Amino acid sequence: PEDQILKHLCGNAMGCIFTVEESKDCGTTSNCNNCILRNCIIKSFTEKVPVYKEHMTREFIIDNHVIEKHFIFSTKYITYLDEEMILVIVDDITELEVQKRKITDHNQTLLFMLQNKVEEYVDLRDKLVSEKYEKDALRKELHHRIGNNLQIITSLMNLHLQGINDESVKKSCIEIMDRIQVIKLLYNNLTNDKKGILHINMQLYIHSIIDSVISAHINTAKKITFTKEIDDLELSIDTALPLGIIINEGISNSLKHAFKDTQNARLDII
């Protein structure tokens, strides 16, 4: 029977909140049928198959305090001295999960800041177009604010990256920083025509993106021959920015994944 497999020790010993609040033994509470740890132990015992690296989040009562704990556990059927047993290996990853949540919250704050700044830039851009007599002063103010604010955000994220060990979170931060860099390069290549309408010189813009990506992946890039044939073309900001992001990610992914053997490697950008 299941109760003989688990005895009455697991939840009681760990301080499972259900055993405490319901004053019942492990195996008899209202949550036991839904307990992933219990179900994996039963699966390993009855089917003689291992279960690897399952996640469990549960509240426990420890020293009369309710504490949410996070675990990764594995279960495996074994025999020892002719007795059938289940080996359970449990890793407490609570601190890692707490730090991950803090990092996620911090990233959301940075994204919110970035969104607000972009909205400010759009408002300034519209004002620059509609009020021609102020275009020079507003453009200087626009560039100044963009440069300062994007640099602040980039510096904050660079500082934040130093304390990140989770590769998935670190990858997300780096992708955000790459997009911020594309925005910075976009505004560095702003031009306006005789009517005061803002355009992006795509030839200069794409060249600046390529140079930025090469600098970020210099160890790989220095072994590759680059061919660049880019037409002299001007586009609006709304069209140029998504193109810039696509080009940036395309070149970055090529340098990361396309060249296992860099001998005679060549990347054509046309």
Side-chain angles (χ1 to χ4, degrees):
E2 294 179 2
D3 291 344
Q4 291 182 13
I5 295 172
L6 292 176
K7 306 295 183 184
H8 292 281
L9 300 176
C10 186
N12 300 73
M14 296 174 70
C16 173
I17 192 169
F18 295 99
T19 64
V20 177
E21 290 186 344
E22 298 179 15
S23 298
K24 293 182 178 180
D25 287 331
C26 177
T28 63
T29 74
S30 61
N31 185 69
C32 286
N33 287 337
N34 299 320
C35 177
I36 185 172
L37 175 59
R38 175 187 175 85
N39 291 336
C40 288
I41 292 174
I42 293 172
K43 179 181 177 68
S44 290
F45 191 86
T46 57
E47 300 179 21
K48 307 297 188 293
V49 295
V51 178
Y52 294 114
K53 295 185 178 180
E54 287 288 343
H55 288 250
M56 180 177 73
T57 299
R58 176 76 54 80
E59 288 184 338
F60 295 89
I61 297 182
I62 302 174
D63 295 331
N64 295 321
H65 296 287
V66 178
I67 300 176
E68 184 179 72
K69 303 287 284 183
H70 302 267
F71 299 108
I72 293 179
F73 68 87
S74 300
T75 61
K76 186 176 182 179
Y77 172 85
I78 62 172
T79 57
Y80 180 70
L81 299 178
D82 296 327
E83 291 190 20
E84 295 180 306
M85 300 181 181
I86 298 297
L87 176 65
V88 181
I89 302 173
V90 180
D91 290 324
D92 187 342
I93 59 169
T94 303
E95 184 62 28
L96 177 63
E97 289 296 321
V98 170
Q99 292 301 320
K100 186 182 293 186
R101 287 182 182 180
K102 289 181 180 179
I103 290 169
T104 300
D105 292 341
H106 189 69
N107 286 343
Q108 290 297 325
T109 301
L110 290 175
L111 286 172
F112 180 74
M113 290 172 57
L114 178 60
Q115 182 178 357
N116 286 340
K117 293 305 177 184
V118 170
E119 290 175 357
E120 287 183 18
Y121 306 151
V122 171
D123 291 340
L124 281 172
R125 182 197 65 187
D126 294 341
K127 188 175 182 180
L128 180 62
V129 173
S130 62
E131 300 178 10
K132 295 180 182 180
Y133 63 93
E134 294 181 354
K135 64 181 180 181
D136 290 333
L138 286 173
R139 184 170 60 185
K140 290 179 181 179
E141 177 66 10
L142 176 68
H143 288 187
H144 178 70
R145 290 193 185 187
I146 289 171
N148 284 350
N149 287 297
L150 291 180
Q151 186 58 48
I152 289 172
I153 293 172
T154 301
S155 298
L156 283 171
M157 296 195 72
N158 262 321
L159 182 63
H160 192 55
L161 274 176
Q162 298 176 12
I164 296 177
N165 295 320
D166 189 284
E167 290 299 321
S168 62
V169 177
K170 183 179 290 187
K171 181 180 178 181
S172 296
C173 288
I174 293 173
E175 288 175 354
I176 293 171
M177 291 173 64
D178 287 343
R179 294 182 181 182
I180 293 173
Q181 178 66 12
V182 172
I183 296 173
K184 289 171 62 177
L185 295 174
L186 177 104
Y187 282 95
N188 288 342
N189 290 279
L190 274 176
T191 60
N192 62 303
D193 60 18
K194 294 180 180 179
K195 296 180 180 180
I197 299 175
L198 294 174
H199 294 284
I200 303 298
N201 185 308
M202 292 303 293
Q203 188 178 63
L204 297 177
Y205 182 39
I206 294 173
H207 275 288
S208 65
I209 291 174
I210 295 170
D211 292 341
S212 176
V213 175
I214 289 175
S215 296
H217 302 275
I218 187 63
N219 290 333
T220 301
K222 66 184 180 181
K223 304 174 184 178
I224 298 171
T225 300
F226 289 82
T227 301
K228 295 174 279 188
E229 297 180 12
I230 304 166
D231 292 336
D232 190 4
L233 175 68
E234 290 190 341
L235 297 175
S236 68
I237 294 177
D238 292 338
T239 303
L241 180 56
L243 283 176
I245 292 174
I246 292 171
I247 292 168
N248 180 80
E249 294 187 0
I251 299 173
S252 296
N253 288 335
S254 296
L255 294 179
K256 290 177 184 177
H257 308 296
F259 299 103
K260 294 182 179 179
D261 181 6
T262 55
Q263 186 175 2
N264 299 321
R266 173 177 167 179
L267 182 60
D268 295 333
I269 304 166
I270 300 175

